[in-house]
Amino acid sequence: MRRNEASAAGYEPPRYRAADDAPWYHVLHGNVPEHQIDFMYGPEVPQGPLTPTHLSHLARLMKYIEPQTNGTHAFAIGNLSRDDTQHEAGHGAISLIFAFRIGGATDHAGRGHPPFAHGIAAVDREVRPASLLEAAITFHRHTMNAGESGSPASAFYRAYVRAVLEHPDGVSRVLARYVEAFDDLPRLPRSDLSWAWVADAAAQPRRVVIVHGDDEPFEAVASVASRLAAVLFRSNIKWTAITTGRETGIPGGLSVRLVAERDVATEERQGRLLRLEEVPGDEAEIARAVFSARPYGAELERSKPVGWRERYAAQGALAAGAPQGAARTGPEAQAVRREEAAAAATPAGARVEAAEGEQEERAPDVERPLARRWIRRAVVGASAAVAAASVLGVLSDPAREEEGRGDVAAPPAAVMEDEPDIEPTAAPPPPPARVGTSSPEAPPAATGGARAQRRGTQRGPARWTQRRTPPPAAETSETAGPTVFDSPPVFE
């Protein structure tokens, strides 16, 4: 037995160059003798519309796809344009994958039933349910009964192992002959499809599970998978794969599982669960019932927060005479339509008068930035406070002056009791000018002294003395005695 090139550390799978108009690109993945499980065959990239990103997505799907415990094979439809930066719905890349276990063979480590996967990819091709189902059935016919020793896939794998171990130079010819047997796959035309369905990302489940009978024929399962893929292919839904296998779901997108009743696990019931017969046949019903999607041209107007810049930009566009058919969305569109309807129902003369009156009554409502509004409110509030304080000061000055005089001139009670009695006289009342400027020696009015006693310690005379000192009494020659009181006050 000769040592082959696969045992070298720098193993590279054989590559091929397809025709320019090739509708399908073939990729093989499985056990490489004296190496490990790796890619066995694939196209050169980049090649035509096929990019390294497409091949990377296909490689991940093929590496981890695994038949169910009770199944002989796994079938998947994969999305290869999930991360395309310039992806356009209806023009992506899609793949069909079959995975098997080769019976009666061993892998490089001596383990039985080594894995084998065959994938085909179509880029920017027209994906419709009928053509996709035809491709899936043809693909399945070439690889069916792969778990048995007489199947086409099993026969190919054995020929490949012999070539790798005994005739390394003939490996490429063995691989090319196997791929040429699939030339009868339907030739999908170039896609002219457009965006058909739109769905909200928040409304999407992480997984959709479709349960079918244990003995469901492949054609029935493939038919449902093809209808689902055709809807997803023309939508904005971020999806990864539609599969019948038991591999772990790929994160970052919606996955659909077609599972037999005997293989339904607890985790399969965590997503949206449907029966195979519950899946509608019409694409519009599939979009609505399975993926919560709606036609692309029928988006519902949703209320969304609009900033003041956008709002006044829209108002400015309307004032500048935007065309009647200009696109308007959001709350502003509803308000504009209501105003237009009201204007249409109002006579022309009334509309002119109403518009002139509205312009006279209110100034343009221009919203200012938040910081300017705060500053203006602070200035207005401070001005109002100063004005209020000034008014209160002016109104309270006479009363405070009278209270201050009473507080300063009021003598203690003990001193008032020791003063001698003074004979009452019939002196006329003092003139009004003398009442406001009584001498500090003169006793205050009875009401002023009583008010000072009631106040107690609430307001001491010293404070009024410091703040406002009464002016000295003016010297006059009219009388030498007390000018305010003829007799000392009597306190009861």
Side-chain angles (χ1 to χ4, degrees):
M1 182 179 297
R2 296 170 55 184
R3 182 178 180 82
N4 59 80
E5 297 176 355
S7 60
Y11 168 77
E12 288 292 338
R15 304 281 183 177
Y16 74 95
R17 191 84 185 175
D20 294 339
D21 60 343
W24 301 98
Y25 298 94
H26 294 260
V27 180
L28 307 180
H29 182 273
N31 177 66
V32 178
E34 297 187 0
H35 176 54
Q36 61 183 15
I37 297 175
D38 206 337
F39 285 96
M40 302 162 58
Y41 197 43
E44 298 177 2
V45 287
Q47 179 177 168
L50 185 67
T51 66
T53 303
H54 297 151
L55 192 62
S56 175
H57 284 301
L58 179 59
R60 181 167 185 177
L61 292 171
M62 295 181 67
K63 283 181 180 179
Y64 299 106
I65 188 171
E66 183 71 20
Q68 294 286 349
T69 304
N70 300 314
T72 59
H73 65 274
F75 170 70
I77 302 177
N79 178 20
L80 307 185
S81 296
R82 186 190 62 178
D83 298 327
D84 287 358
T85 56
Q86 297 180 349
H87 172 63
E88 182 181 355
H91 294 271
I94 199 168
S95 65
L96 304 180
I97 306 171
F98 275 100
F100 317 96
R101 288 283 181 173
I102 305 299
T106 58
D107 62 7
H108 63 285
R111 293 169 295 196
H113 302 280
F116 172 70
H118 184 176
I120 56 177
V123 184
D124 197 18
R125 296 287 174 169
E126 188 176 275
V127 176
R128 296 191 181 274
S131 58
L132 198 59
L133 176 60
E134 182 183 357
I137 292 176
T138 303
F139 196 15
H140 179 261
R141 185 176 66 248
H142 282 285
T143 55
M144 63 184 303
N145 301 321
E148 300 178 2
S149 59
S151 65
S154 178
F156 157 73
Y157 180 78
R158 295 176 189 279
Y160 168 75
V161 171
R162 286 194 301 269
V164 170
L165 297 177
E166 300 177 4
H167 305 285
D169 297 338
V171 172
S172 297
R173 291 192 298 270
V174 172
L175 294 169
R177 285 198 302 269
Y178 173 72
V179 170
E180 290 173 359
F182 294 85
D183 287 344
D184 59 343
L185 287 170
R187 298 182 65 87
L188 306 181
R190 292 289 181 182
S191 177
D192 59 355
L193 302 175
S194 60
W195 196 346
W197 315 106
V198 61
D200 298 329
Q204 290 300 309
R206 188 177 66 88
R207 175 186 299 174
V208 175
V209 180
I210 299 175
V211 181
H212 59 81
D214 295 339
D215 299 327
E216 199 75 35
F218 173 78
E219 288 77 7
V221 176
S223 176
V224 172
S226 300
R227 296 200 302 270
L228 297 175
V231 172
L232 293 172
F233 186 73
R234 302 181 61 189
S235 73
N236 69 331
I237 300 174
K238 195 173 184 179
W239 63 288
T240 57
I242 303 171
T243 178
T244 64
R246 60 183 177 92
E247 67 276 5
T248 303
I250 298 176
L254 170 71
S255 63
V256 180
R257 291 186 179 274
L258 297 158
V259 186
E261 292 179 346
R262 61 173 178 264
D263 298 321
V264 177
T266 303
E267 62 177 7
E268 307 289 352
R269 304 181 185 275
Q270 296 178 359
R272 184 171 296 175
L273 189 65
L274 299 172
R275 295 285 306 179
L276 188 72
E277 55 271 15
E278 295 176 351
V279 178
D282 182 65
E283 292 187 21
E285 288 298 319
I286 291 177
R288 183 190 61 81
V290 181
F291 302 117
S292 302
R294 58 186 180 274
Y296 174 68
E299 290 97 342
L300 300 177
E301 290 185 355
R302 298 183 299 274
S303 298
K304 58 182 180 180
V306 179
W308 63 271
R309 292 184 178 89
E310 292 79 4
R311 183 165 61 253
Y312 285 100
Q315 294 178 1
L318 293 175
Q324 185 71 19
R328 296 167 179 166
T329 58
E332 286 73 24
Q334 300 176 2
V336 170
R337 284 194 289 270
R338 287 196 296 267
E339 293 175 0
E340 292 176 352
T346 306
R351 289 199 298 268
V352 173
E353 295 177 0
E356 292 178 354
E358 184 178 357
Q359 291 179 359
E360 294 177 357
E361 290 179 2
R362 63 178 181 134
D365 186 13
V366 179
E367 185 174 346
R368 297 177 174 82
L370 187 59
R372 293 181 59 186
R373 292 203 303 270
W374 287 350
I375 294 174
R376 180 174 178 178
R377 291 173 182 172
V379 172
V380 172
S383 302
V386 172
S390 302
V391 172
L392 293 176
V394 171
L395 296 177
S396 60
D397 279 345
R400 289 179 179 176
E401 191 171 334
E402 183 67 24
E403 292 175 5
R405 294 194 190 99
D407 293 340
V408 172
V415 176
M416 298 297 297
E417 292 177 358
D418 296 336
E419 291 183 357
D421 295 338
I422 301 176
E423 293 294 333
T425 60
R434 302 282 296 174
V435 174
T437 56
S438 61
S439 173
E441 290 81 3
T447 58
R451 183 170 54 211
Q453 290 181 359
R454 287 197 305 269
R455 190 179 301 109
T457 59
Q458 295 180 359
R459 184 182 298 168
R463 188 180 67 173
W464 288 104
T465 303
Q466 294 175 2
R467 294 184 59 185
R468 189 187 299 272
T469 303
E475 293 293 334
T476 61
S477 59
E478 295 179 1
T479 177
T483 59
V484 178
F485 299 102
D486 296 331
S487 61
V490 179
F491 298 95
E492 295 181 358

